[in-house]
Amino acid sequence: VQLQASGGGLVQDGGSLRLSCTTSGFTLDYYAVAWFRQAPGKEREGVSWISSRDGTTYYADSVKGRFTTSFDDAKYTVYLQMDSLKPEDTAVYYCAASESSSVLSTLIITFEANQYPYWGQGTLVTVSS
């Protein structure tokens, strides 16, 4: 499985960006894709989660109402639409994926990084004040 993240850049406070995560090589029909971010000096945190089974999504409280994750029609690309960006959203953003049934479960959404075996390279998002 390969993931390729792109779309980062510099944006002003209140602006928008859309990140893309192109995927390939999944062996199972269903998988989950999460976006994580890591700001300088801070721990990596989960931002959003989406299931290829039915498009169910989940968001961290810090981005709920501002960020939207979605698949393209072919389900090869996962997007993270980020609106109303704030300086505290500045971070390197990573997409990650798992085919594990436990990660796909919507009973408890996990943002444990070690539950996601596949990772894209990071893309830097900088929000200026």
Side-chain angles (χ1 to χ4, degrees):
V1 176
Q2 292 187 324
L3 306 176
Q4 179 84 23
S6 62
L10 175 64
V11 64
Q12 289 189 331
D13 190 355
S16 298
L17 274 178
R18 188 176 78 163
L19 305 183
S20 299
C21 177
T22 303
T23 71
S24 64
F26 288 109
T27 57
L28 300 180
D29 290 337
Y30 302 123
Y31 49 90
V33 178
W35 284 95
F36 290 79
R37 67 185 181 186
Q38 188 163 21
K42 295 189 176 181
E43 292 187 356
R44 188 171 299 190
E45 66 167 331
V47 171
S48 68
W49 179 99
I50 186 167
S51 166
S52 73
R53 177 180 289 153
D54 57 8
T56 299
T57 57
Y58 179 83
Y59 301 93
D61 287 343
S62 57
V63 306
K64 199 173 294 182
R66 299 187 298 122
F67 289 12
T68 304
T69 190
S70 63
F71 278 105
D72 70 338
D73 289 343
K75 292 200 172 129
Y76 291 135
T77 301
V78 177
Y79 300 109
L80 183 66
Q81 177 67 40
M82 306 184 294
D83 298 318
S84 303
L85 282 161
K86 307 173 183 180
E88 51 264 44
D89 293 318
T90 295
V92 177
Y93 284 71
Y94 302 88
C95 57
S98 174
E99 297 171 299
S100 164
S101 57
S102 61
V103 174
L104 273 166
S105 170
T106 55
L107 293 178
I108 300 177
I109 305 297
T110 180
F111 281 136
E112 293 291 331
N114 61 13
Q115 296 296 309
Y116 294 83
Y118 311 114
W119 288 79
Q121 86 293 357
T123 185
L124 176 62
V125 172
T126 304
V127 184
S128 63
S129 57

